[in-house]
Amino acid sequence: MRGWKGAILFIAYLTLLSFFVLSFYAAFAVEAQSSFSIENSQIAGKLIFGTVVVSELLMVSFIAPALTSGAFASERERQTFDLLKISLLSGLELVLGKLSAALSYLLLLAFAALPLEALAFLLGGVGLAEFLISTLMLFMTALFFCALGIFASSFSRRVIVSTVLVYGFNIISTFVFFLGIFLLAIFESASAASSQPNPLAASFFGSLLWFLFSTNSLFAAFASEALLVSENSLWLVNGGGIFGSMNAVLLSPWIIYVVVYALGSLFLILFSAYIVNRME
Amino acid sequence: MSAAIEFKSLYKWFGKRIAVNNVNLEIQPAEIFGLVGPNGAGKTTTMRMLVTLLKPDKGEIFVGGYSIAKQRNDVRRIIGFMPDSFGVYGDMTVSEYLDFFGACYKVNPHQRQKLISDLLDLVDLGPRRADMVDTLSTGLKQRLGLARVLIHDPQILVLDEPASGLDPRARVEIRELLLEIARLGKTILFSSHILADVAELCSRVGIIEAGKMVAVGTLSQLSEQVMPHRQVKIGLLARLPEAMALLAAMDGVRAVRELDGVKYAALEVDFIGGDEALGGLLSALLAQGLPVIHFSEATKNLEEVFMRTTKGIIS
């Protein structure tokens, strides 16, 4: 990230983020058209905060793989991979080194977005829990997508191949996600609407649907926020309130999101280290 | 004293093709060993197994007594490797490049700067320490590669074609640098297509072909193996048939051939015998009043040994 590449990405990121925040704020100001009130100020604060967090989540999941998909593939292209491999660094150390380089750049982007996020605190409406949860989710998203890029580059000989693999995986997993949601929603509603509803089946499909939903960053962020505001519930949710026929307590989506992405990252990091470490 | 490097019944296959076929070899500490062979003979594969990049399919390699299969980190600590083609980080300065690899080899950060200065002086890159690596010529990059290999002070250096792609001056400079490094007591195993370099630098040579080590020894031992007789070139002003007949009848003479392409009449004699007997050949010719104008023994060079040993087979 020496030279202009990092600076250009940095400027583009902040410009886009500022544009989103300004657009939403302008739209809200036009819509509100009233004089100052605490309620309006708090809504504006939540809007700005939400815009920054969602934009960051989307941009991080787009930028992170680009930062790491060349991690080892570019070393192979440059013919420096062997020199690293025979050094005293273990595969895990090499992977963690590459990961921390990409994460520190993303951390810089997140820090740079803090003044925009701070506008929300000025206007009010955003609590500490929301800030901490969004930061944790953002970190896990960055970690997972960085680890995904590193994993693809750990076995690819060319940067272009690992980049295509990572973005291809993102597209396919999004497609599978929506297909899964669609199928599970059909099963769940069919199970609930049957003449003799089976509470076990309804709970199973409902939980699965909830789990799948929670692995999506946008759903997890919005649903966690909605549950926090409406039910003041940070950790657990009553399943019956979401799926009528369900009789179970569910975890708040952000918890599922953080755990799934943390475990996914751990698996990708360890598997990448194994691939980098092995003798051919 | 235990061997610095020991190959034991080493095999490597790539699919059905055998790349290294039962290589057995011992290289002693502080020895400069040259590995020569045609393209595709298995030199690079052998070296890559030695430096723990490739896994042998059969057999074992010990480096400084450590097994490459079981004690990989110990091997890496005492070995330095320069591949035949290696990249550099163009966006680093010369000094940063060495510092980076120093960190990779966990060299004490407090000692690193002094070490880098010493290494840059050794390879004559001191004045270029602040230059970007990308701006260095091929020869200078090769020298930087040698400095990198030495960053963790390894006892054994494995250099794959260190002089390839260099102009004659850079080649000579690299050769001198290798001799200087050898004087530090390092064991050097290097491969090269430039047989003159190998002959000049190496205490022993191994010739590898189709994955097999076909000959190992000092240059004179190898010469003895492939050319057991001495070869003498004799130039005459006239009376060539008479000289041929005389020589053919003498003890120790195995063959006499007339040489073409020489501006005077000349003969090549294959001869077995000591220096005294060799002197007897000249005396006999002169005693018959033959007009000898040239009498010399051909020096046995590595190129000739190489050509006679190898058949141009690619594994």
Side-chain angles (χ1 to χ4, degrees), chain A residues 113-149:
Chain A
L114 272 182
L116 279 171
E117 222 169 317
L119 285 175
F121 299 116
L122 203 67
L123 294 165
V126 180
L128 182 65
E130 285 156 302
F131 175 72
L132 291 177
I133 289 171
S134 66
T135 307
L136 190 60
M137 282 182 66
L138 195 62
F139 177 75
M140 280 305 162
T141 309
L143 181 68
F144 178 79
F145 283 103
C146 281
L148 188 65

Side-chain angles (χ1 to χ4, degrees), chain B residues 114-315:
Chain B
K114 165 87 173 66
L115 180 67
I116 289 168
S117 292
D118 291 348
L119 285 175
L120 289 176
D121 287 342
L122 177 74
V123 298
D124 275 339
L125 277 177
R128 307 291 299 267
R129 62 177 302 143
D131 289 5
M132 300 304 280
V133 173
D134 250 359
T135 63
L136 300 181
S137 66
T138 313
L140 295 186
K141 278 181 187 160
Q142 210 76 351
R143 284 203 221 173
L144 180 62
L146 276 176
R148 179 193 57 74
V149 167
L150 293 166
I151 194 78
H152 58 298
D153 193 23
Q155 277 313 296
I156 297 159
L157 304 186
V158 181
L159 315 171
D160 195 0
E161 304 277 355
S164 70
L166 299 184
D167 62 50
R169 176 175 286 277
R171 227 183 72 202
V172 170
E173 285 170 355
I174 286 285
R175 206 163 61 198
E176 283 169 3
L177 191 54
L178 288 180
L179 283 171
E180 207 169 326
I181 292 168
R183 278 194 285 272
L184 299 172
K186 312 276 185 198
T187 307
I188 301 177
L189 166 65
F190 85 102
S191 71
S192 181
H193 283 306
I194 305 158
L195 299 177
D197 286 355
V198 178
E200 193 170 325
L201 281 171
C202 300
S203 39
R204 279 196 310 149
V205 178
I207 299 176
I208 189 167
E209 186 175 42
K212 274 193 170 174
M213 196 66 77
V214 288
V216 179
T218 61
L219 187 53
S220 57
Q221 284 171 339
L222 291 179
S223 303
E224 285 294 318
Q225 280 172 28
V226 296
M227 293 186 289
H229 53 261
R230 304 169 86 165
Q231 227 165 37
V232 186
K233 196 173 152 189
I234 302 167
L236 294 135
L237 279 176
R239 299 165 64 190
L240 200 66
E242 204 180 322
M244 280 181 86
L246 175 70
L247 288 166
M250 291 187 73
D251 281 347
V253 173
R254 292 285 173 267
V256 183
R257 291 177 295 276
E258 196 175 337
L259 274 182
D260 295 328
V262 188
K263 56 187 175 187
Y264 45 82
L267 298 171
E268 192 174 63
V269 181
D270 291 347
F271 173 75
I272 295 176
D275 289 345
E276 214 167 292
L278 189 63
L281 281 188
L282 180 61
S283 304
L285 290 168
L286 294 174
Q288 292 297 315
L290 290 164
V292 177
I293 55 164
H294 181 99
F295 189 96
S296 69
E297 185 178 0
T299 46
K300 294 169 179 175
N301 61 38
L302 184 57
E303 194 168 61
E304 195 154 354
V305 172
F306 180 78
M307 292 308 288
R308 282 173 184 249
T309 312
T310 59
K311 300 181 186 79
I313 304 165
I314 294 167
S315 65

Side-chain angles (χ1 to χ4, degrees), chain A residues 18 39 43 50 53 105 123 150 156 164 172 174 181 209 213 219 222 230 233-234 238 242-243 245 271 276:
Chain A
S18 308
E39 197 185 333
I43 293 172
V53 169
Y105 184 75
L123 294 165
I150 284 180
S156 305
V164 168
I172 290 168
T174 308
I181 295 275
L209 196 57
F213 263 128
F219 171 82
F222 282 122
S230 64
S233 121
L234 189 61
N238 177 17
I242 299 160
F243 306 105
S245 55
F271 203 29
V276 169

